[in-house]
Amino acid sequence: MAKLLMGKEVSARIKNELREETEKLKARGINPGLAVIIVGEDPASQVYVRNKERACEECGIYSEKYALPEETTQEELLRLIDELNHKECISGILVQLPVPKHIDEKTVIEAIDPKKDVDAFHPVNVGKIMVGNYDFVPCTPAGVMELIKESGVDVSGKECVVVGRSNIVGKPQAMLLLHQNGTVTICHSRTKDLAEKTKRADILVAAVGIPNFIKGDMIKEGAVVIDVGINRMPDKKLCGDVEFETAEKVAGAITPVPGGVGPMTVAMLMKNTVRAAMVNKSR
Ligand code: NDP
């Protein structure tokens, strides 16, 4: 039976540690603060934003929420970001993605001060991650690294396979594994003979967005399997990218969905916000 990597429990532990850290920082006059901007009514985004607000409370982090109507113009959004870039009590800014179609995501991301970019999506922060000298790590890949640590498996020298090459998960995930001396393969929709690649993995990260895509027979015996996928099924239940029932019989350790990577992403956002407060204080 595979060890279950319970993101819910690990994230609770991290948030407790962060709460202690924020208390100490506040005593030194450093007050972490997060501004979350949401444009429109996307139901999944509403849930994510609520979770982030709740996590701020749990960690003793000040937060401001800006819920803007769907018809908000790009100029209005950019003006708000500029205001928050200069606002003393705000150390981190997050624009919940996706934004409505009439707003250019890239322009929005690039408008955020890199020192307040707690999602680490700004090209400056992406470049810093590549170089290996960074303040912020994108939240989901950072959460995945914590869960791999929880498995007790040392990444160094291991075959690591990441399925998915998005800018927010796959690519930064591969870099983080590389920084920890993994031998990394990135797979995507054009990869030939995917199962042959995934079966080589000591550490397999699935970030594809297709329910139950990775089956047990694509996994090496004893591998650490991290399922980033969050897919909403017709019956409203959440389902990962890994077929849990067949995978858990083969894997050495595996994350559940929900309760695996999801809560870790939020905990890592809190970590980045606390870090941002320190970075901004020292400029
Ligand atoms: P994207 O849609 O941006 O990327 C999906 C990737 O999967 C692409 O690189 C694509 O390849 C690859 N892919 C698609 N089909 C195949 C295939 N048949 N074989 C191999 N690779 C394939 O998704 P994201 O990275 O944003 O998200 C992935 C999943 O993770 C989603 O379910 C999302 O909801 C979830 N997610 C969860 C988070 C969390 O907090 N737990 C946070 C962010 C995302 P190509 O590039 O060639 O098109």
Side-chain angles (χ1 to χ4, degrees):
M1 221 33 158
K3 175 181 178 177
L4 265 187
L5 303 171
M6 298 303 293
K8 221 170 160 179
E9 287 164 18
V10 181
S11 68
R13 204 167 67 214
I14 291 172
K15 283 187 284 186
N16 276 336
E17 287 164 11
L18 283 173
R19 189 177 182 87
E20 285 171 22
E21 200 176 336
T22 34
E23 272 164 24
K24 283 187 200 140
L25 286 174
K26 283 179 188 171
R28 287 169 47 204
I30 300 173
N31 295 294
L34 177 68
V36 180
I37 306 173
I38 175 167
V39 188
E41 304 289 329
D42 180 68
S45 293
Q46 305 273 356
V47 174
Y48 295 146
V49 167
R50 249 199 318 277
N51 289 344
K52 287 166 189 176
E53 279 182 289
R54 199 174 306 135
C56 280
E57 275 170 38
E58 287 168 9
C59 298
I61 294 173
Y62 168 75
S63 73
E64 291 181 358
K65 175 183 165 188
Y66 296 85
L68 308 180
E70 179 84 21
E71 57 275 13
T72 302
T73 64
Q74 180 164 308
E75 286 64 38
E76 285 168 329
L77 178 57
L78 293 179
R79 246 196 320 276
L80 173 60
I81 292 173
D82 186 56
E83 201 182 292
L84 295 169
N85 278 342
H86 294 96
K87 197 166 180 176
E88 191 79 27
C89 65
I90 294 300
S91 29
I93 303 169
L94 178 146
V95 179
Q96 185 65 47
L97 300 178
V99 283
K101 287 198 171 45
H102 64 277
I103 298 176
D104 180 45
E105 190 176 293
K106 186 167 164 282
T107 307
V108 170
I109 290 172
E110 290 183 13
I112 298 171
D113 181 342
K115 290 202 165 61
K116 294 193 176 187
D117 170 38
V118 282
D119 257 339
F121 293 163
H122 191 290
V124 166
N125 288 321
V126 174
K128 284 183 161 191
I129 291 157
M130 188 81 164
V131 173
N133 173 22
Y134 42 80
D135 292 316
F136 309 123
V137 180
C139 304
T140 300
V144 168
M145 295 311 287
E146 290 289 334
L147 289 176
I148 294 171
K149 194 158 94 189
E150 189 68 14
S151 76
V153 169
D154 182 8
V155 176
S156 185
K158 298 290 185 312
E159 289 284 345
C160 305
V161 175
V162 180
V163 189
R165 56 170 165 182
S166 71
N167 288 332
I168 63 167
V169 189
K171 282 186 211 161
Q173 189 68 68
M175 287 313 300
L176 296 187
L177 290 162
L178 186 61
H179 290 322
Q180 288 196 14
N181 302 315
T183 301
V184 185
T185 304
I186 308 177
C187 301
H188 45 78
S189 66
R190 313 289 173 88
T191 297
K192 296 216 165 52
D193 200 356
L194 181 69
E196 179 260 324
K197 314 283 185 298
T198 56
K199 247 184 134 47
R200 284 206 312 244
D202 302 308
I203 297 170
L204 177 63
V205 181
V208 191
I210 303 175
N212 298 321
F213 182 70
I214 304 283
K215 318 276 183 206
D217 62 4
M218 297 166 74
I219 296 169
K220 179 177 175 179
E221 187 84 40
V224 176
V225 178
I226 310 284
D227 189 352
V228 179
I230 302 181
N231 307 294
R232 177 85 52 188
M233 304 306 276
D235 64 1
K236 302 264 184 280
K237 281 198 181 131
L238 291 183
C239 168
D241 290 347
V242 177
E243 190 177 67
F244 189 84
E245 296 68 32
T246 53
E248 71 160 343
K249 294 191 173 76
V250 193
I254 188 167
T255 58
V257 177
V261 176
M264 294 303 295
T265 298
V266 182
M268 293 299 114
L269 172 68
M270 298 301 113
K271 207 169 184 173
N272 279 349
T273 304
V274 171
R275 172 95 192 120
M278 295 191 277
V279 170
N280 286 303
K281 188 75 185 171
S282 63
R283 42 174 179 176

